[in-house]
Amino acid sequence: MAGNRRVADMVASIALLVLLTVEALAAGWGIKLMSLAFVSCAAPGNTCNATLGDSVVVVGPIVVAVVLVASIVVSVLRLVRRRLTWPVVLIGMAAVVAVFFASLLLVDSSVTHGI
């Protein structure tokens, strides 16, 4: 890539990497807060699969962190090699959203409301 396209790609990639970092932090904390869903387990008629819920709450932020680090590493390598980078960051952002919603579905499925 040459000239203005290179500068535009670098600026867009850096801005998107900052947004990805903020998104990953929010998703990680959001997954941790999903543990509050198990407060209702003590209510009569409710059942919970605590093993599934606890493992999702522990593993979810780790997966988000792995996606974040992988996206940053691949993006930096592509920037150094002067390749188009911003689509890689968008894929990382989509992966973080997918991990968050998969965690949400798993936590919701582990809590059954009886009443």
Side-chain angles (χ1 to χ4, degrees):
M1 292 187 347
N4 292 336
R5 291 178 62 193
R6 171 80 178 126
V7 171
D9 177 53
M10 184 171 286
V11 169
S13 298
I14 291 171
L16 286 173
L17 281 171
V18 169
L19 285 175
L20 172 64
T21 304
V22 171
E23 176 192 25
L25 286 171
W29 280 106
I31 293 170
K32 279 296 206 190
L33 288 175
M34 287 180 198
S35 65
L36 294 175
F38 298 103
V39 173
S40 67
C41 292
N46 290 355
T47 58
C48 295
N49 184 351
T51 306
L52 174 63
D54 287 342
S55 59
V56 168
V57 169
V58 170
V59 173
I62 295 171
V63 173
V64 168
V66 167
V67 169
L68 173 66
V69 170
S71 296
I72 290 172
V73 167
V74 170
S75 296
V76 168
L77 289 175
R78 289 183 66 87
L79 283 171
V80 168
R81 293 179 184 154
R82 299 182 184 263
R83 307 222 183 225
L84 191 63
T85 305
W86 64 267
V88 172
V89 183
L90 287 181
I91 291 169
M93 293 174 96
V96 168
V97 170
V99 169
F100 177 79
F101 282 112
S103 299
L104 181 64
L105 287 173
L106 287 171
V107 168
D108 280 346
S109 68
S110 67
V111 177
T112 305
H113 299 286
I115 297 176

